[in-house]
Amino acid sequence: MDYGDKLFWLSVVIQRKYAQICAEFDLTPSQATLICAVRNEPRQMADLAASLGMTKNALSQLVDRTARRELVGRASSAQDRRVVMLSATPAGRVLAEAVYAEVAKRLPEIAKNLDADDQRDFERVATAIVDTADLSSPNQPIRP
């Protein structure tokens, strides 16, 4: 396998672990990412769609499903009524914090078979990649 193959399979390992954690909270990975993205502050739907790499229609459908569970809510912006803001409900915020904490605790388990030096190197490289990535651009995902 070449480097691209390894990165592909690393993404699969990460996505599988994330999906397992989300399932324990009865959430899809998309729902968990959504509530984590708005857990601290409301976000504009258009900006959120771009950050998540979703069409506005796909995001709207995800929001509809998540809102039915009373985890997020929509509201018009105070500055511009045409702009729709998305925020976590109190229940959504609590759930998002729990998911976020569990992901932060358990996702590093993907490196558990590495020795201590390799684990530190993996953490350093992963941190460098995230710190230098433009996570706000439409083609990049936002942090969970």
Side-chain angles (χ1 to χ4, degrees):
M1 277 195 249
D2 68 11
Y3 182 58
D5 288 335
K6 297 291 186 184
L7 289 175
F8 168 79
W9 288 110
L10 176 60
S11 75
V12 170
V13 169
I14 291 169
Q15 291 173 58
R16 283 178 54 193
K17 179 61 104 176
Y18 184 62
Q20 290 168 352
I21 294 166
C22 295
E24 292 171 14
F25 289 93
D26 194 29
L27 293 168
T28 67
S30 295
Q31 289 172 323
T33 300
L34 178 66
I35 64 171
C36 286
V38 298
R39 77 187 191 287
N40 293 325
E41 63 185 9
R43 295 191 51 157
Q44 290 186 18
M45 289 274 292
D47 292 346
L48 195 55
S51 293
L52 293 173
M54 300 177 80
T55 65
K56 290 178 186 176
N57 186 46
L59 177 60
S60 185
Q61 290 175 11
L62 174 61
V63 169
D64 287 345
R65 290 189 306 274
T66 310
R68 280 195 290 275
R69 295 188 56 188
E70 300 180 357
L71 300 175
V72 295
R74 293 181 179 102
S76 295
S77 168
Q79 292 79 23
D80 184 345
R81 294 182 54 187
R82 297 169 297 177
V83 174
V84 178
M85 303 296 292
L86 185 70
S87 60
T89 64
R93 201 169 298 111
V94 168
L95 186 56
E97 289 297 338
V99 169
Y100 194 84
E102 197 65 17
V103 167
K105 182 176 94 179
R106 290 181 36 207
L107 201 54
E109 291 174 3
I110 66 168
K112 70 182 177 195
N113 293 327
L114 301 177
D115 67 34
D117 288 340
D118 286 343
Q119 286 183 22
R120 281 190 297 278
D121 288 344
F122 185 74
E123 179 181 0
R124 181 185 52 76
V125 171
T127 299
I129 290 169
V130 171
D131 287 350
T132 59
D134 181 3
L135 297 173
S136 63
S137 81
N139 297 323
Q140 298 291 328
I142 60 171
R143 294 179 200 191

